[in-house]
Amino acid sequence: MTQLNATDAYIAGLPKAELHLHIEGSLEPEQMFEFAQRNKMITPFDSVEAVRAAYDFSNLQDFLDIYYAGANVLQTEQDFHDMALAYFRRAAADNVRHAEIFFDPQTHTDRGLPFSVAADGLLAGMKSAEAELGVTSKLILCFLRHLDEDAAFDTLKASEPWLDRIVGVGLDSSEVGHPPSKFERVFARAGDMGLKRVAHAGEEGPPAYVHEALDLLHIDRMDHGNRSMEDEALIERLADSQMTLTVCPLSNLKLCVVRDLKDHPVPEMLRRGLHVTLNSDDPAYFGGYVNQNYSQLAQAVGLTRDQVTQMARNSFEGSFLTEAEKAARIAEVEAYAAAT
Ligand code: ADE
Ligand code: ZN
């Protein structure tokens, strides 16, 4: 058994929320093979080891090509249920008490699956997780930004029967060349429908895209946001508004957004007063669930215990729980910090 150092042990027991998690990115190679076999599909890989060896990415697009191919094994509601429950079991082991998970309906509907297969399967998995593990969750529907806005409108329309169980919309996939402005109208519609709005911004895209996500999409929370640090006015704006950033250190390392975790912008973000949270993004592809993101970053940049606690507190504050629910979860963080 490996001995945890004091920081890792503190992180392990700290109650936290995860706010940036693509459920399709939690599909571990072992489960990919299991689903391929039960759905009588052929995979392009011979073994789990060969799949893992292929997870060597130079940029976001390199990863997305493999990630969309991996999602093809998801065929039935049972597959979506089982994938989600497997994620929640790992998250619960990391003391994640609440998760707001993304799914990419177009990845599934574009290959002929009805919207209901993904949505009902995931919602069932979320329900199983709450019953089995006590982990609460919310579901966010992401539009694929490499597709056009009409396709996003079609997806929003298809989601209508589920909108009482979907908390918001997001924007993901290939960022550069697909600015937030492309989705201004569909985000306005989603807002009118009472949905929360989040968007990936400044992962690979320039600070101008971050400004657009704020000004045109009226986001409630920002996914990544790394490149905001290149723009002084933007840093001040994010600090003043206390916009929650869902930062993903191991993703940034694997997708070459940073060269080394030692160069990660989180310490500077915290120093400038930004409302940072730590998350795993696509843990099956990036080599770690949420606690690994905290631990490896803490090790690389020397986070203090107070900084770690602050980011866990931020994760509940930045969630879409009610104010009363947030207060109860934050009280658990404070009790843990005081007792540990
Ligand atoms: N889809 C899944 N993971 C993503 C990421 N990190 N950036 C953009 N789209 C994604
Ligand atoms: Zn992401």
Side-chain angles (χ1 to χ4, degrees):
M1 193 142 149
T2 44
Q3 191 75 34
L4 291 184
N5 71 35
T7 306
D8 290 350
Y10 181 75
I11 290 166
L14 183 63
K16 55 187 77 71
E18 177 147 56
L19 304 180
H20 185 156
L21 180 282
H22 302 263
I23 197 65
E24 295 90 345
S26 73
L27 182 62
E28 292 285 346
E30 289 80 0
Q31 205 169 35
M32 205 183 284
F33 275 94
E34 183 191 327
F35 294 173
Q37 204 160 39
R38 76 186 184 195
N39 294 325
K40 308 199 174 5
M41 298 174 77
I42 295 170
T43 60
F45 298 102
D46 304 333
S47 65
V48 163
E49 293 70 35
V51 179
R52 287 222 164 83
Y55 292 174
D56 182 22
F57 315 114
S58 312
N59 54 41
L60 174 59
Q61 193 60 51
D62 253 15
F63 154 70
L64 289 171
D65 293 342
I66 288 205
Y67 160 85
Y68 294 131
N72 285 333
V73 302
L74 297 161
Q75 295 286 331
T76 65
E77 277 184 41
Q78 188 74 49
D79 297 338
F80 284 92
H81 169 278
D82 293 356
M83 172 176 65
L85 186 54
Y87 160 69
F88 283 110
R89 286 182 178 147
R90 289 174 187 269
D94 277 3
N95 253 320
V96 169
R97 309 306 307 143
H98 176 72
E100 300 190 349
I101 66 173
F102 298 135
F103 79 123
D104 288 339
Q106 289 156 296
T107 299
H108 314 301
T109 53
D110 284 4
R111 58 192 172 86
L113 292 190
F115 188 96
S116 60
V117 170
D120 287 339
L122 293 174
L123 289 163
M126 292 159 67
K127 199 169 164 193
S128 297
E130 187 161 357
E132 177 185 311
L133 308 159
V135 180
T136 57
S137 58
K138 295 188 186 288
L139 187 59
I140 298 173
L141 171 174
C142 283
F143 302 122
L144 296 181
R145 68 201 303 160
H146 67 273
L147 302 177
D148 63 27
E149 194 184 35
D150 285 345
F153 269 112
D154 291 345
T155 303
L156 188 59
K157 182 92 193 129
S159 75
E160 275 173 10
W162 287 269
L163 287 185
D164 55 335
R165 286 154 290 162
I166 290 177
V167 73
V169 297
L171 188 64
D172 66 1
S173 192
S174 322
E175 187 180 10
V176 174
H178 303 286
S181 51
K182 188 177 157 185
F183 296 92
E184 185 175 356
R185 293 176 318 138
V186 74
F187 267 65
R189 172 81 61 83
D192 291 343
M193 293 163 81
L195 293 164
K196 299 285 189 190
R197 291 169 284 192
V198 303
H200 285 54
E203 180 183 20
E204 286 188 342
Y209 284 24
V210 179
H211 281 289
E212 281 193 10
L214 296 168
D215 294 332
L216 306 181
L217 304 188
H218 303 289
I219 52 171
D220 297 289
R221 191 160 77 203
M222 184 183 304
D223 299 312
H224 296 295
N226 297 48
R227 291 196 59 193
S228 310
M229 301 311 285
E230 297 169 23
D231 180 329
E232 189 59 31
L234 192 47
I235 296 172
E236 284 170 24
R237 184 174 180 188
L238 293 173
D240 289 347
S241 61
Q242 286 294 283
M243 170 63 62
T244 297
L245 305 186
T246 65
V247 178
C248 306
L250 292 178
S251 164
N252 295 156
L253 182 64
K254 278 293 228 176
L255 301 187
C256 306
V257 168
V258 295
R259 234 175 337 133
D260 192 294
L261 272 187
K262 288 190 173 62
D263 305 327
H264 202 279
V266 156
E268 181 63 7
M269 288 172 163
L270 291 172
R271 202 180 66 73
R272 299 299 305 269
L274 303 194
H275 199 263
V276 177
T277 66
L278 296 185
N279 307 272
S280 68
D281 204 1
D282 300 283
Y285 291 87
F286 301 150
Y289 285 75
V290 73
N291 283 0
Q292 280 296 317
N293 277 272
Y294 276 82
S295 291
Q296 292 193 34
L297 185 68
Q299 166 86 22
V301 303
L303 296 175
T304 65
R305 207 174 107 153
D306 282 353
Q307 288 174 318
V308 166
T309 308
Q310 186 59 50
M311 291 190 283
R313 198 182 285 121
N314 292 351
S315 71
F316 291 113
E317 276 173 5
S319 74
F320 297 138
L321 291 167
T322 65
E323 291 306 316
E325 288 166 337
K326 288 182 194 183
R329 304 305 177 99
I330 291 166
E332 290 174 21
V333 173
E334 306 306 355
Y336 178 81
T340 310

